[in-house]
Amino acid sequence: MNIKYDLNRTKLLNEAPRLIKWAIDKGLMSYPLSQKYHDDGSLDPGIEEEIHVDPEQYTPEFCMRAHELRQLGLTLDDTAKVIGVSRGSITYILAKGHEHQLEKERANLKQP
């Protein structure tokens, strides 16, 4: 009975490039920013490893502002748009903002 599964899997693998192209054309997904291309314009499966994060951009105040917006009820997508970062970066920024907020609250508790 594994033959049917193997045939379906093989069919799906054969259709994968067309499905990916369709999803990209419809705007449902995109290639990574660091995608390499061959001279003929076809995709190179290797990806250039580059860091696009500027650590100086994510200051404590920046992260705390993002955390405050999230606490006001903004969705992750809306918060990412407001502060101008990608959807994938917002959870890291929110976590850092929460850490800074807790540090600030602890510092206030220690003061007489």
Side-chain angles (χ1 to χ4, degrees):
M1 291 298 144
N2 289 340
I3 295 171
K4 185 174 183 181
Y5 173 76
D6 289 337
L7 290 175
N8 286 338
R9 183 172 53 180
T10 302
K11 182 180 175 187
L12 183 61
L13 288 173
N14 287 333
E15 291 181 8
R18 184 185 61 78
L19 292 172
I20 291 171
K21 183 176 181 339
W22 177 85
I24 289 172
D25 291 343
K26 297 293 183 185
L28 300 174
M29 61 185 288
S30 64
Y31 289 115
L33 293 175
S34 58
Q35 179 66 52
K36 288 197 242 178
Y37 297 91
H38 293 292
D39 292 335
D40 64 356
S42 61
L43 295 174
D44 184 356
I47 294 179
E48 297 173 1
E49 295 295 329
E50 290 183 21
I51 298 175
H52 295 286
V53 175
D54 181 13
E56 294 178 5
Q57 177 186 6
Y58 302 141
T59 62
E61 294 78 19
F62 180 82
C63 295
M64 286 176 59
R65 177 67 180 141
H67 178 68
E68 290 169 3
L69 291 171
R70 182 71 172 136
Q71 293 300 313
L72 291 173
L74 271 70
T75 64
L76 289 175
D77 287 330
D78 291 340
T79 306
K81 286 178 188 174
V82 168
I83 64 171
V85 298
S86 68
R87 173 71 160 75
S89 301
I90 192 65
T91 54
Y92 170 81
I93 294 168
L94 290 172
K96 288 296 180 188
H98 188 237
E99 286 176 19
H100 293 302
Q101 182 67 32
L102 292 176
E103 287 175 8
K104 188 177 174 183
E105 289 174 7
R106 281 189 217 113
N108 287 340
L109 289 176
K110 289 180 183 178
Q111 293 177 353

